[in-house]
Amino acid sequence: MASEQPLAAVTCTAPVNIAVIKYWGKRDEELVLPINSSLSVTLHQDQLKTTTTAVISKDFTEDRIWLNSREEDVGQPRLQACLREIRRLARKRRNAWDGDPLSSSLSCKVHVASVNNFPTAAGLASSAAGYACLAYTLARVYGVESDLSEVARRGSGSACRSLYGGFVEWQMGEQTDGKDSVARQVAPESHWPELRVLILVVSAEKKLTGSTVGMRASVETSPLLRFRAEAVVPARMAEMTRCIRERDFPGFAQLTMKDSNQFHATCLDTFPPISYLNAVSWRIIHLVHRFNAHHGDTKVAYTFDAGPNAVIFTLDDTVAEFVAAVRHSFPPGSNGDAFLKGLQVRPAPLSAELQAALAMEPTTPGGVKYIIATQVGPGPQILDAPSAHLLGPDGLPKPAA
């Protein structure tokens, strides 16, 4: 028997975001409500994105999901929370519109396929892009037009920040039901065109302590984390917002580094302690401070999430020289040609003075595996071309071309 055409098929992309004021710790595990507000920069999807297709059809007998071409367990709690929330919103909208609580799409099962254009294992924020993309795509399939912060947040807290481009704050909110814990854009992606982002991929190993487990341990055992959330972050959120609005790079850069360092200090203050940075991470930190000291100005900033990879912020006029400094201190391994990915960076010489100021013996090759050069980018996008769909009309992954 010929299968019916699917009722709806939608494909969207969503970006990775990097927090400059860090989120660490939940006050409500189930609703994924944070103990402090956070602020992030959305990275450009030309370099880093998740693409997701969702298809609903009367023919499907169960919800199914494929991640990077492998079928995954659709029953995992966070995925279920997203699906439940989006269907609840769809039902609410239907009731308001036509009083038909089970109009066609709501009684259908959904098939979802998702791929990242960057290695998931590289420790880049794949869950944020993934759940933002899932929420955005499901919303399009089910005709939901309300704020999707809650849907994305249920999957991964920081995912709500990937629902917008540019510079985004996640307001912690105060209500116990989390209705006011939402993401809001602070400035659009066009606001600071000179800003550049370099991701220094240090390690692709799986981390010893996952974020969810680490956060829980910190909330339970770190007095420093509580002090940070209550006494430090509110003023930093206001200051970071000012630096972004005024395009004050030195202010933005210093606060970004201080906040990253404080986040890692709360990890060390957790009992037993958690350490996400490795020896290469620390060398990058020293490299940045020496580079800035040599220039007598804050020209480069680092930030680290729950892993050893460095995310570097700088302005377009400094990118080439800093990349040269990284190449000097961390000679590429065998992949010299593929060491720099993403945006083009013209090769620049490293002056003898800067080389002397860095005072760093080059490490054995391969300490930094590669660099991704990118910039601030937009929020989720809808791909209209049917060829973009990851699932065929039968609701199964298309064979790889």
Side-chain angles (χ1 to χ4, degrees):
M1 168 186 119
S3 131
E4 290 183 46
Q5 273 300 309
L7 281 173
V10 179
T11 299
C12 301
T13 65
V16 168
N17 75 75
I18 298 295
V20 288
I21 300 293
K22 302 294 189 192
Y23 150 56
W24 193 251
K26 301 179 186 72
R27 66 178 192 272
D28 185 310
E29 291 263 348
E30 191 195 343
L31 296 178
V32 191
L33 302 178
I35 61 169
N36 62 268
S37 296
S38 55
L39 202 152
S40 61
V41 179
T42 298
L43 304 187
H44 205 288
Q45 295 174 57
D46 283 354
Q47 284 75 45
L48 300 162
K49 70 179 173 197
T50 296
T51 304
T52 300
T53 298
V55 179
I56 46 179
S57 167
K58 291 193 174 76
D59 291 344
F60 299 164
T61 55
E62 57 183 346
D63 293 331
R64 294 175 73 182
I65 188 163
W66 291 264
L67 298 182
N68 293 318
S69 306
R70 278 187 39 208
E71 187 159 11
E72 302 283 340
D73 173 21
V74 80
Q76 51 167 308
R78 292 190 159 196
L79 199 55
Q80 282 299 316
C82 282
L83 279 167
R84 255 198 323 274
E85 188 60 23
I86 207 86
R87 283 170 169 154
R88 183 185 70 76
L89 291 170
R91 208 167 284 120
K92 193 167 136 188
R93 183 167 182 267
R94 290 285 144 79
N95 290 346
W97 279 84
D98 57 16
D100 174 12
L102 284 177
S103 56
S104 50
S105 67
L106 272 170
S107 55
C108 291
K109 299 296 185 186
V110 66
H111 286 192
V112 176
S114 197
V115 295
N116 296 329
N117 71 344
F118 56 92
T120 314
L124 306 172
S126 57
S127 66
Y131 278 108
C133 205
L134 180 70
Y136 196 81
T137 309
L138 289 174
R140 295 298 165 281
V141 152
Y142 284 113
V144 170
E145 287 167 3
S146 48
D147 186 292
L148 299 175
S149 288
E150 182 158 14
V151 185
R153 205 185 65 217
R154 288 293 191 91
S156 173
S158 53
C160 67
R161 299 190 309 244
S162 277
L163 291 169
Y164 298 93
F167 302 83
V168 184
E169 66 172 327
W170 174 15
Q171 299 165 350
M172 63 179 285
E174 290 170 9
Q175 293 166 216
T176 51
D177 64 3
K179 295 296 177 211
D180 59 347
S181 185
V182 293
R184 289 283 176 263
Q185 189 180 68
V186 171
E189 60 269 22
S190 56
H191 173 70
W192 201 346
E194 303 80 12
L195 195 64
R196 294 290 177 273
V197 185
L198 299 170
I199 301 169
L200 277 48
V201 177
V202 166
S203 157
E205 284 117 53
K206 208 160 156 34
K207 28 189 192 210
L208 287 170
T209 312
S211 305
T212 306
V213 174
M215 272 186 211
R216 194 176 301 135
S218 296
V219 167
E220 288 168 3
T221 64
S222 169
L224 183 56
L225 182 68
R226 189 152 309 275
F227 176 78
R228 164 182 165 72
E230 292 168 5
V232 181
V233 171
R236 283 190 173 177
M237 286 291 293
E239 173 66 4
M240 185 62 86
T241 301
R242 180 198 67 76
C243 291
I244 289 165
R245 293 217 164 113
E246 296 177 10
R247 293 185 281 269
D248 168 2
F249 185 78
F252 170 85
Q254 288 177 34
L255 192 51
T256 293
M257 292 188 279
K258 288 176 177 176
D259 206 70
S260 174
N261 295 339
Q262 187 175 81
F263 154 54
H264 289 280
T266 65
C267 291
L268 275 183
D269 190 49
T270 301
F271 197 82
I274 303 168
S275 173
Y276 287 115
L277 305 180
N278 64 19
V280 177
S281 313
W282 277 104
R283 281 184 64 99
I284 294 167
I285 290 171
H286 295 311
L287 171 68
V288 167
H289 285 292
R290 287 174 186 175
F291 185 95
N292 287 337
H294 168 72
H295 284 289
D297 194 7
T298 308
K299 285 182 161 285
V300 182
Y302 53 77
T303 187
F304 295 82
D305 284 331
N309 297 329
V311 176
I312 302 291
F313 290 97
T314 188
L315 297 178
D316 56 356
D317 60 5
T318 308
V319 173
E321 189 184 28
F322 186 74
V323 167
V326 173
R327 274 186 184 273
H328 167 74
S329 305
F330 302 95
S334 53
N335 68 332
D337 52 337
F339 185 63
L340 188 64
K341 304 172 191 286
L343 297 178
Q344 292 279 299
V345 177
R346 58 179 175 75
L350 193 64
S351 71
E353 296 79 33
L354 178 53
Q355 206 164 311
L358 295 178
M360 293 174 84
E361 287 301 311
T363 56
T364 47
V368 171
K369 293 189 166 45
Y370 55 92
I371 300 174
I372 302 170
T374 184
Q375 59 193 337
V376 186
Q381 310 284 309
I382 300 172
L383 303 182
D384 290 320
S387 60
H389 292 331
L390 303 172
L391 296 169
D394 58 358
L396 297 175
K398 290 180 180 174

